[in-house]
Amino acid sequence: MKTLNSYGIVVLLLFMAACKEAGKKGAEEKKPNIIFIMTDDHTTQAISAYDQRYVSTPHIDRIAEEGILFKNCFVTNSICGPSRAVILTGKYSHINGLTDNSKVFDSTQVIYPQLLKKAGYQTAMIGKWHLGSAPVGFDYYSILPNQGQYYRPDFIENGKRITEAGYVTDVVTDKAIGFLESRDKDKPFLMIYQQKAPHRNWMPATRHLGMFDDVTFPEPGNLLDNFSGRGRAAKEQLMNISTDMMEAWDLKLATARELDSLTGIAAGHRFGDTKEDDFEHANDKSTDKARFLEVYNRMTGEEKAAWSKVYDRRVAEFERLRPEGDDLVRWKYQQYMKDYLACVVAVDENVGRLMDYLEKQGELDNTIIVYTSDQGFFLGEHGFFDKRFMYEESLRTPLMIRYPEKIAAGTVSDALVMNLDFAPTFLDYAGIEIPESMQGASMRPVMDNSGKAPGNWRKAMYYHYYEYPSWHMVKRHYGIRTERYKLIRFYNDIDEWELYDLQNDPKEMNNLFHHPEYRQVVEKLKEQLKELQLRYKDTDPTERDTVSDKHYQSRQPDSN
């Protein structure tokens, strides 16, 4: 038997070392996959990792338990389309051009998926897009037209319109898993996986209908807020549970017999199928039953039967109780919560289904998994539903990130982060240079520092909302939020300021702007606000082009 001489041994050792180094280098160069999960209007109050009062979300919670949970993630503009544009571009609304939902996204500007694709990623966009223009920068897309439908949803798939059987939350996940099955396994992937739920009008899957009928949810302490001590902005909105929810569309107060008798009333009109239609019927209760009939008629006969079994009981209860005044508000709140949270349960189930698939495929730990929403939402706080305001429930959005290679399990962060930071963060982890045009910052230094904000991290964030007059009639406003304080200026047809001390008044019930003892606080915050406006190039905030008034200039708010 031949043996190696000393020269051969040296050569062999050098060869083995070279192979080891090459393997190490290859491992270092392997790019992480990225799955960006975003729901619509899913507030932190309805995620048990943040708040355990209302619903259990074990699969969503798993992302936080095995990664990092951000307690202070905020949006720059709390409304669907603009938030999505900020996330894609890493730029504020006044820079990317999508200030409100009437606009169409300018797809000629650089978005982070394009940069990832250029760097070798396979890219997919699945689910709710809501930007008006067709997706650009994706190898595959299958998107819901405008707001999308809960039952038998339409999709635009690589330019072709199709209709799918089933419940939208399940179908979007089917498509996501289908992409993962068929993708190029030699490439890292970016998959943007965006659900419609739990967006209004909160239609649960048939398997979840009535699941909370025996539950009485705790009421927020300010459900019956009368806005004393605050100005016109808080009082003149149209998002009160008490007066602004629609009986059929929101509360499902229409029996099967009544709906069947109306069949054909909405023929020829597709409410909300385009941005023009979506805005044409803002706050208009005269179309309530016609709008609901359209989505009801998307169900199969079997689905309608299951639906009617639950909601005919609700109508009967309402007729029996005939609640009035504060009792009516409380009754509506309970129905709203039952439907909203049942939609959340379907989201949670499908997050679990997706993660189980990744785990079986051996891709879970090499994938950065992000869970967030396009903004927060009011679950009865101040008596509100919807979002838009710079108040905490609307401003704050959930953010959890799982990536065991770089993020320690169970990390919790108090750092002030924004949806403006998402794009730079993804590019940073992928080893791609962050464009100077992006105004956000990579959150990686926070995550590398066990969730603690480095010394040079932001101490305040800037917000600007534009969509008025429009849905819910929330006044245009901008403001600053620090760790302790929030200063808001409402403008356009009013000029009002609000100041909140979040340490002493976390529910934001007492406007302190005119209190003499807070004069120095106001002056300092105004200086910081100007600095942020200069940094983000929003130096003329009240003159920015906003939502077209053509549909609303002659329309008075519906007071019914």
Side-chain angles (χ1 to χ4, degrees):
M1 180 178 179
K2 293 184 179 180
T3 57
L4 291 173
N5 57 27
S6 59
Y7 175 77
I9 292 173
V10 171
V11 170
L12 179 61
L13 290 174
L14 288 173
F15 176 75
M16 292 172 64
C19 289
K20 184 176 180 181
E21 188 62 29
K24 181 180 178 182
K25 185 177 181 181
E28 289 174 350
E29 291 178 350
K30 186 177 181 181
K31 304 288 188 182
N33 304 314
I34 302 171
I35 294 182
F36 179 71
I37 307 173
M38 186 163 76
T39 39
D40 196 313
D41 296 343
H42 192 185
T43 187
T44 56
Q45 304 97 281
I47 298 175
S48 48
Y50 285 95
D51 190 329
Q52 297 184 357
R53 289 176 297 169
Y54 300 123
V55 68
S56 174
T57 53
H59 304 294
I60 297 171
D61 293 357
R62 180 184 174 188
I63 299 172
E65 291 163 1
E66 299 176 1
I68 184 170
L69 179 145
F70 287 89
K71 294 170 67 175
N72 292 309
C73 181
F74 303 110
V75 297
T76 63
N77 184 357
S78 185
I79 188 69
C80 302
S83 177
R84 293 160 195 272
V86 168
I87 290 168
L88 287 168
T89 63
K91 299 184 291 188
Y92 268 89
S93 299
H94 63 279
I95 301 293
N96 68 50
L98 201 82
T99 51
D100 57 67
N101 275 337
S102 71
K103 303 290 192 299
V104 173
F105 182 65
D106 175 10
S107 58
T108 64
Q109 58 192 313
V110 174
I111 59 176
Y112 79 86
Q114 290 173 315
L115 299 176
L116 288 168
K117 182 178 179 181
K118 186 177 179 180
Y121 275 72
Q122 191 173 11
T123 58
M125 166 63 225
I126 301 167
K128 188 167 181 180
W129 177 245
H130 199 217
L131 290 170
S133 57
V136 174
F138 298 95
D139 295 297
Y140 166 79
Y141 69 83
S142 188
I143 62 169
L144 298 164
N146 199 23
Q147 295 287 0
Q149 304 96 356
Y150 273 106
Y151 282 87
R152 199 166 55 86
D154 293 334
F155 286 83
I156 300 173
E157 192 157 296
N158 288 350
K160 181 182 178 182
R161 188 163 184 142
I162 59 175
T163 302
E164 302 281 15
Y167 184 68
V168 67
T169 309
D170 303 331
V171 176
V172 168
T173 307
D174 292 342
K175 288 178 177 289
I177 292 174
F179 165 74
L180 296 176
E181 286 277 9
S182 61
R183 70 184 176 85
D184 184 345
K185 303 298 194 295
D186 293 327
K187 289 183 176 182
F189 65 84
L190 161 72
M191 184 174 73
I192 299 178
Y193 161 71
Q194 299 185 160
Q195 293 286 9
K196 170 185 173 63
H199 190 278
R200 192 184 186 192
N201 66 335
W202 318 299
M203 295 179 71
T206 54
R207 64 184 180 275
H208 298 137
L209 293 174
M211 69 178 297
F212 293 118
D213 278 3
D214 295 328
V215 177
T216 300
F217 294 102
E219 298 173 1
N222 53 4
L223 175 65
L224 303 176
D225 191 353
N226 63 6
F227 313 113
S228 61
R230 280 155 287 168
R232 288 174 53 195
K235 296 173 183 175
E236 293 182 6
Q237 41 63 40
L238 295 179
M239 49 191 283
N240 281 309
I241 290 175
S242 60
T243 55
D244 301 315
M245 278 189 160
M246 299 186 184
E247 288 194 358
W249 183 252
D250 294 320
L251 297 168
K252 323 302 187 301
L253 292 178
T255 64
R257 179 175 295 180
E258 181 181 9
L259 290 168
D260 289 339
S261 71
L262 294 173
T263 297
I265 192 173
H269 192 103
R270 300 173 70 93
F271 293 98
D273 195 50
T274 66
K275 284 179 177 287
E276 186 81 4
D277 286 337
D278 201 30
F279 273 64
E280 179 66 30
H281 298 279
N283 310 310
D284 185 356
K285 291 185 178 179
S286 69
T287 62
D288 179 25
K289 285 183 179 173
R291 293 185 76 232
F292 184 70
L293 179 64
E294 183 182 291
V295 296
Y296 173 79
N297 279 339
R298 300 191 73 87
M299 297 183 192
T300 65
E302 185 178 352
E303 288 167 341
K304 284 183 178 180
W307 181 272
S308 300
K309 184 178 180 181
V310 170
Y311 289 102
D312 283 6
R313 286 202 307 265
R314 178 179 293 183
V315 175
E317 179 184 278
F318 182 71
E319 293 293 334
R320 177 174 55 83
L321 295 175
R322 283 292 174 184
E324 297 179 353
D326 291 349
D327 289 338
L328 177 59
V329 178
R330 292 188 166 106
W331 188 87
K332 287 181 177 180
Y333 166 77
Q334 293 296 329
Q335 314 319 310
Y336 163 43
M337 292 292 283
K338 290 170 185 178
D339 294 343
Y340 179 97
L341 295 173
C343 292
V344 168
V345 171
V347 169
D348 185 67
E349 289 175 351
N350 278 277
V351 168
R353 190 154 68 96
L354 180 64
M355 291 182 69
D356 287 346
Y357 172 83
L358 289 168
E359 197 161 24
K360 289 175 184 176
Q361 297 300 311
E363 291 287 357
L364 183 61
D365 288 350
N366 186 48
T367 301
I368 298 172
I369 299 177
V370 179
Y371 189 91
T372 190
S373 177
D374 50 354
Q375 65 266 317
F377 211 65
F378 292 103
L379 295 184
E381 298 86 4
H382 303 286
F384 293 158
F385 65 101
D386 207 69
K387 56 264 184 180
R388 302 165 199 269
F389 276 109
M390 198 185 167
Y391 304 142
E392 287 294 282
E393 294 84 4
S394 168
L395 178 67
R396 177 182 284 112
T397 195
L399 178 62
M400 293 161 274
I401 304 176
R402 184 191 188 278
Y403 185 33
E405 185 175 324
K406 300 291 183 181
I407 302 170
T411 303
V412 177
S413 177
D414 290 317
L416 298 182
V417 300
M418 297 187 285
N419 60 352
L420 192 72
D421 301 327
F422 294 176
T425 303
F426 301 152
L427 296 176
D428 191 358
Y429 274 115
I432 300 170
E433 184 177 354
I434 300 168
E436 290 185 7
S437 61
M438 289 190 174
Q439 297 177 298
S442 171
M443 298 179 290
R444 191 169 180 177
V446 175
M447 291 184 273
D448 289 346
N449 195 36
S450 302
K452 297 179 177 63
N456 61 350
W457 194 254
R458 70 171 62 91
K459 303 297 188 294
M461 63 81 58
Y462 178 61
Y463 179 86
H464 196 160
Y465 173 81
Y466 305 82
E467 194 172 285
Y468 174 88
S470 183
W471 287 95
H472 301 300
M473 302 298 281
V474 173
K475 308 290 188 184
R476 301 176 195 178
H477 59 287
Y478 59 83
I480 179 174
R481 189 208 192 274
T482 66
E483 182 181 356
R484 177 169 178 175
Y485 296 106
K486 183 182 295 178
L487 180 68
I488 309 170
R489 185 199 176 191
F490 294 94
Y491 69 94
N492 183 243
D493 62 340
I494 62 173
D495 188 2
E496 293 182 350
W497 290 85
E498 293 181 0
L499 171 71
Y500 296 100
D501 183 341
L502 300 173
Q503 179 176 296
N504 296 319
D505 180 25
K507 296 184 184 298
E508 297 168 293
M509 298 293 288
N510 303 301
N511 178 16
L512 302 171
F513 182 77
H514 295 291
H515 287 221
E517 62 267 36
Y518 282 90
R519 187 175 300 146
Q520 290 185 346
V521 172
V522 168
E523 290 175 359
K524 182 178 179 180
L525 287 170
K526 282 187 173 181
E527 289 177 6
Q528 289 179 279
L529 179 60
K530 288 181 180 179
E531 290 172 1
L532 290 177
Q533 289 173 329
L534 183 63
R535 179 187 306 170
Y536 295 122
K537 303 177 183 178
D538 196 21
T539 53
D540 197 10
T542 63
E543 298 301 319
R544 186 70 52 186
D545 177 38
T546 55
V547 65
S548 170
D549 292 357
K550 68 177 181 177
H551 293 314
Y552 311 103
Q553 56 192 2
S554 63
R555 178 180 293 167
Q556 297 300 312
D558 188 340
S559 60
N560 293 324

